[in-house]
Amino acid sequence: MAPPKVYVTRRIHEDGLALLRKQYSVDFWDSEDPMPKNELKEKVKSYDAILCMISDYFDKEVLEAAGPQLKTIATMSVGTHHINLNECSKRGIFVSNTPNVCSDTAAEMTVLLLLVAARRCMEGYEAVVNGEWGLWKPMWICGTEISSRTLGILGFGRVGFGVARRLKPFGISRIIYNDVSQAAMGDDLGCEFVDKETLYKESDFLVITCPLNGYTHKMIDKKVFDLMKPGSILVNTSRGSIVNTNDLVEALRSGKLGAAGLDVTDPQPLPPDHPLVKMDNCVITPHLGTNSVQARKAMAINAAENVVGILK
């Protein structure tokens, strides 16, 4: 009897592929770029499992092309918004993700963006590159300190808690958060569970680490920015469409927000001529939240183990 067939939609760490090859027939899309949709539709017709990335979209059209042999779609990501879960459920296709292996990496990136935005590091870097670094000036490129300020976290899961744990030693005076319920793991750090309005009004730094869903889609909009302290800083390492981009642009232009640090955007990627790209008070990175060698290896192995578990 022929072994089950597994298709991997991108190049991944060899340890993940090796785990699959021990038991299955494995093929993969030999590129760093996403598969075209028509190729994806062809693969779901004949493979027993698909190990995919967050940029592979399994919508109703793709899933309607799936053969009855397709048992599982294992995404190498935390998010599953790129997969139509209802359509998978109708077809008995199991969906798995990798939520437990990259939280530390994402939390580190969040802290990095907050510090870079707060201390205006990118403006300093540009000054060096452009030859504008002269003799010491007392009021030149002055940022804001982290110590003795209030950190607000929207979404207090693994990443949100990781951010709180890392920033507490910086001398943050108060850490407040909002989630669907109070999280016991925040008690040891002295974190306070508050309602959303309090979170928005009292945070000097507002960090978004909540999942994207129908409730959080474009939740951070003009109404929220109007509640926030003048000069406060927004950091988003979750999903770009949690924030209303047009409202964010206006808040940064008007000075209502002092700065923003974004690892995710809407749209993504941003076109080079987008207003956010041109703003000195907006630091943007190209979705690097889990981009570490260690995280990529762990994610590949975790996704491969999910495939094995379901096929068995």
Side-chain angles (χ1 to χ4, degrees), residues 67 118 136 152 154 168 200 206 268:
W136 183 80
L154 180 62
K168 181 75 172 179
Y200 302 146
L206 178 62
Q268 186 168 300

Side-chain angles (χ1 to χ4, degrees), residues 28-142:
F28 68 96
W29 184 252
D30 191 11
S31 173
E32 288 288 332
D33 297 318
M35 295 178 65
K37 187 173 185 178
N38 63 323
E39 290 283 347
L40 197 58
K41 287 170 69 175
E42 286 300 314
K43 300 309 177 188
V44 298
K45 290 179 181 178
S46 56
Y47 283 84
D48 299 275
I50 306 288
L51 193 159
C52 72
M53 311 296 129
I54 200 165
S55 50
D56 300 312
Y57 290 91
F58 289 82
D59 57 17
K60 185 175 181 180
E61 181 184 349
V62 170
L63 292 167
E64 283 180 341
Q69 82 297 325
L70 183 61
K71 300 295 188 299
T72 182
I73 298 171
T75 179
M76 205 177 92
S77 64
V78 177
T80 57
H81 61 275
H82 55 300
I83 302 172
N84 189 319
L85 300 180
N86 288 333
E87 291 297 323
C88 286
S89 179
K90 290 177 185 177
R91 292 165 171 78
I93 299 170
F94 290 90
V95 176
S96 61
N97 62 344
T98 57
N100 302 318
V101 295
C102 52
S103 301
D104 284 336
T105 313
E108 286 180 4
M109 189 70 193
T110 306
V111 171
L112 169 67
L113 277 175
L114 193 156
L115 292 171
V116 170
R119 296 301 299 271
R120 301 174 63 182
C121 293
M122 293 306 299
E123 292 174 71
Y125 171 78
E126 292 293 338
V128 173
V129 171
N130 295 329
E132 299 166 1
W133 184 15
L135 297 176
W136 183 80
K137 306 169 190 175
M139 299 306 294
W140 186 53
I141 310 184
C142 291

